[in-house]
């Protein structure tokens, strides 16, 4: 099997395993990694639809993970400030 085929199969495996993780953040980060593997595969086979679709997927996964982390930090900061005000 060629290196190119291996990249495609590894991307498939990584993306598929992401569904076995319970944490939404973990799932998103693994999907982002798989999407980047698909971007690499798409570039190597000169398939721009594969590249563009997976750049969008990776960007959305990273953005939503970072947004969720920021939201959680804000919530924790609010709880801490309300606890100290009491």
């Amino acid at each position: 099997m060629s290196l190119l085929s291996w990249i495609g199969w590894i991307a498939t495996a990584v993306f598929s395993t992401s569904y076995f993780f319970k944490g939404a953040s973990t799932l998103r980060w693994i999907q982002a990694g798989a999407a980047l593997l698909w971007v690499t595969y798409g570039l190597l086979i000169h398939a721009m639809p594969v590249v563009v679709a997976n750049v969008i997927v990776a960007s959305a996964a990273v953005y939503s993970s970072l947004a969720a982390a920021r939201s959680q930090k804000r919530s924790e900061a609010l709880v801490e400030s309300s606890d100290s005000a009491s």
Side-chain angles (χ1 to χ4, degrees):
M1 190 173 343
S2 70
L3 177 62
L4 186 62
S5 293
W6 276 107
I7 293 170
W9 284 115
I10 291 169
T12 300
V14 171
F15 188 80
S16 298
T17 59
S18 70
Y19 289 102
F20 293 103
F21 291 88
K22 295 184 193 292
S25 179
T26 303
L27 180 137
R28 287 186 201 114
W29 283 110
I30 292 172
Q31 287 180 340
L36 292 176
L37 286 169
W38 278 115
V39 168
T40 302
Y41 180 77
L43 289 170
L44 291 171
I45 65 169
H46 307 287
M48 286 312 290
V50 173
V51 173
V52 171
N54 284 287
V55 164
I56 292 169
V57 169
S59 298
V62 170
Y63 175 80
S64 62
S65 289
L66 294 175
R70 277 190 296 254
S71 177
Q72 183 177 359
K73 285 181 183 177
R74 276 190 227 122
S75 295
E76 290 170 358
L78 287 173
V79 168
E80 287 175 11
S81 67
S82 68
D83 286 346
S84 63
S86 300

